[in-house]
Amino acid sequence: MDDDLRTRHHDGPVDDAAAASLERIGLELRLVPNARPAVDGWLHAVSRGFLDPEPADEQIAASMAAGGYRRRIGVFDPGSPQSEVPVGTFASWAAEVSVPGGVAVPMAAISAVTVAPTHQRRGIARAMMEGKLRHAASLGIPLAGLTVSESTIYGRYGFAPAVPATEWVIDTKRATWAGPVAPGRVDAIPRDLARRLAPVVHERIRVHRPGEIAIPPGHWDRFTGTNPDADKPGRIRAVQYADPSGTVRGVALYTATENHDDFTKSRVRITSLVAEDAQAYAGLWRYFIELALIATVTASELSTDEPLWWMISDQRAATITLNDHHYLRVLDIPAALQGRRYHAAGAVVLDVADPVGISGGRWLLETDAAGIGRVRPDDGPDASDIPVVRLGTTELSAAYLGAVSLATLAAAGRVETTDAAAAARVLSWPEAPQLSFWY
Ligand SMILES: CC(C)(COP(=O)(O)OP(=O)(O)OC[C@H]1O[C@@H](n2cnc3c(N)ncnc32)[C@H](O)[C@@H]1OP(=O)(O)O)[C@@H](O)C(=O)NCCC(=O)NCCS
């Protein structure tokens, strides 16, 4: 990702149409600089929106130190008794999301979307979101993405859960380890070392895992408890896996909670597990499955197709819950489709209706045996040998990384197609996407 795009995304003016629609209801849309006291008011609003207590001074300082990469937007009500605290907040940054084929595509990452309870259902969130989508599209960013508090909010703007996640609760007394014994070693490490190592391992795997984005440094500080405002950082434990040559290939972070009534029924929650290869994965997971005194291990933001399920002796020892997790939204159809690679040679016509009018239209996608896709406008009429799919931006975004097939969406009545199996084959990808954190 080039720095120029990052800067233009960060500093560009607010969207005129969004500002005008908010002005009509007496509100002001403004960029919020990374400086006090502007950030104080903005963070107070975000905390209120997410039902958190008021941020303490050190949290504000920490957020400023770590959060400068974010473009912060506020909607202000001049009539409010606290006019410096926005009634709407929105953050975004120019990121890149990994897509099939070991490549990454620019993506506008969105976060901190809140509207004050006193001002909800007046169109404030819609104005901010539509303004953001236009802003990103105007910069040529082909995708937008976010993780959500509620599944029902973002489909109307063309977002879909393109990277589902699973949450695991493992009864470790029942799930004995049946996977390979990794040749390297697992060792406990201090948190500050984990803070240095884990991002390096994650960066090595990120681009090879569709759905993943770079984890911002402030998030790593939270995961490892190395942020200045950390609450009980000593609860966080860290282990590394090193291969036989001594190179660290995996890091895991977790907290343990003792069961005072029965020590052998204590619990571990894995907050992050990054493994660069199959051996590191096996080494770290075996460590957790075999931990003394632990009866339950929980982990979330895993993929829908974890090797772990095939590494325990009793699959029913794992209770797996499917979640929607990472939402994507295609903003530029040719750029998004040409950005990823393909598993099968073929062709499909995608006739896309965009609920917000940013992208859409009828496009022919042709993929070759080398995995390259080419996209051009298609004027019709329907050809007999190329499947045609009529779908919304939401459905295109859902199928973009291959997490759901067009055949499944057709069976669900979400897309119409002349040949579901052929259409599905073109966008399919053999690996389940994953995003290993929330943003
Ligand atoms: C979700 C939230 C940002 C919506 O803000 P808002 O300004 O009230 O939303 P708008 O008035 O712009 O509503 C736009 C559309 O979304 C719908 N909508 C709003 N909140 C919704 C919700 N929680 N669930 C489903 N739909 C919702 C509205 O009905 C409206 O629909 P329509 O335009 O298609 O008729 C706000 O309720 C909020 O801050 N919630 C708490 C924090 C949160 O969960 N933020 C989201 C983080 S991912």
Side-chain angles (χ1 to χ4, degrees):
M1 148 98 40
D2 79 79
D3 282 347
D4 181 48
L5 178 59
R6 266 203 198 97
T7 309
R8 284 185 296 133
H9 178 274
H10 188 273
D11 298 339
V14 296
D15 179 77
D16 285 341
S21 76
L22 290 166
E23 199 182 329
R24 281 195 287 278
I25 54 171
L27 304 173
E28 291 169 18
L29 179 66
R30 296 204 297 262
L31 279 174
V32 176
N34 192 34
R36 302 187 82 160
V39 169
D40 295 53
W42 192 87
L43 280 174
H44 271 76
V46 174
S47 299
R48 180 182 56 198
F50 289 125
L51 313 180
D52 293 327
E54 275 184 14
D57 220 44
E58 58 195 357
Q59 283 172 305
I60 296 172
S63 173
M64 277 183 57
Y69 66 96
R70 291 172 158 220
R71 170 187 170 90
R72 297 187 181 99
I73 295 277
V75 175
F76 294 86
D77 182 347
S80 158
Q82 281 183 299
S83 58
E84 72 292 355
V85 177
V87 295
T89 63
F90 200 102
S92 59
W93 64 99
E96 52 178 30
V97 62
S98 306
V99 297
V103 275
V105 168
M107 182 195 89
I110 294 166
S111 182
V113 181
T114 72
V115 173
T118 48
H119 287 66
Q120 286 174 4
R121 302 301 188 272
R122 299 183 199 177
I124 296 176
R126 180 177 279 280
M128 294 191 293
M129 178 57 81
E130 292 187 0
K132 170 79 264 166
L133 298 179
R134 284 190 294 266
H135 175 237
S138 74
L139 294 171
I141 298 177
L143 294 160
L146 77 176
T147 51
V148 308
S149 61
E150 290 187 79
S151 309
T152 46
I153 303 174
Y154 296 105
R156 59 176 49 77
Y157 307 111
F159 285 90
V163 188
T166 54
E167 180 170 351
W168 291 52
V169 180
I170 307 169
D171 175 348
T172 53
K173 303 289 181 206
R174 201 173 155 180
T176 48
W177 184 252
V181 174
R185 51 185 288 166
V186 174
D187 288 290
I189 54 170
R191 286 180 295 108
D192 57 347
L193 180 57
R195 172 65 184 85
R196 290 200 298 279
L197 292 173
V200 175
V201 177
H202 186 263
E203 271 303 293
R204 283 192 214 129
I205 55 173
R206 171 173 68 87
V207 80
H208 304 289
R209 186 187 281 167
E212 204 72 67
I213 73 169
I215 300 181
H219 283 59
W220 280 119
D221 282 325
R222 272 200 283 118
F223 301 161
T224 52
T226 48
N227 48 333
D229 58 327
D231 183 29
K232 300 191 186 140
R235 290 201 62 216
I236 300 168
R237 304 281 173 192
V239 285
Q240 68 173 31
Y241 171 86
D243 69 15
S245 78
T247 306
V248 174
R249 301 285 179 197
V251 177
L253 299 158
Y254 65 98
T255 53
T257 306
E258 186 180 67
N259 182 329
H260 300 289
D261 300 327
D262 181 346
F263 295 135
T264 67
K265 294 208 171 92
S266 298
R267 301 173 70 89
V268 149
R269 169 149 202 91
I270 301 173
T271 46
S272 179
L273 188 154
V274 285
E276 191 180 329
D277 56 26
Q279 293 177 341
Y281 182 93
L284 290 172
W285 272 113
R286 181 177 172 218
Y287 170 79
F288 287 111
I289 299 295
E290 296 187 343
L291 267 179
L293 300 180
I294 300 302
T296 310
V297 169
T298 59
S300 50
E301 290 79 66
L302 303 189
S303 85
T304 56
D305 190 18
E306 288 288 335
L308 176 62
W309 207 59
W310 301 96
M311 298 167 123
I312 49 179
S313 59
D314 179 348
Q315 269 106 358
R316 289 193 192 174
T319 305
I320 303 169
T321 310
L322 180 66
N323 291 311
D324 46 358
H325 197 43
H326 195 191
Y327 281 64
L328 293 187
R329 201 271 188 215
V330 174
L331 292 167
D332 180 328
I333 294 171
L337 291 174
Q338 287 172 174
R340 61 160 278 188
R341 301 292 173 263
Y342 295 85
H343 188 56
V348 61
V349 169
L350 299 165
D351 193 347
V352 186
D354 185 331
V356 182
I358 287 176
S359 56
R362 189 174 154 118
W363 303 89
L364 170 64
L365 164 66
E366 291 171 299
T367 60
D368 65 20
I372 303 296
R374 286 186 188 78
V375 178
R376 53 190 160 88
D378 184 78
D379 299 333
D382 295 2
S384 59
D385 57 338
I386 299 180
V388 178
V389 186
R390 291 185 178 80
L391 73 177
T393 304
T394 306
E395 288 70 28
L396 176 63
S397 302
Y400 173 64
L401 295 179
V404 63
S405 93
L406 288 174
T408 304
L409 292 177
R414 296 283 300 254
V415 311
E416 272 177 38
T417 171
T418 52
D419 185 341
R425 224 169 6 252
V426 179
L427 287 189
S428 70
W429 190 254
E431 233 182 320
Q434 185 180 0
L435 175 73
S436 51
F437 72 111
W438 287 70
Y439 63 90

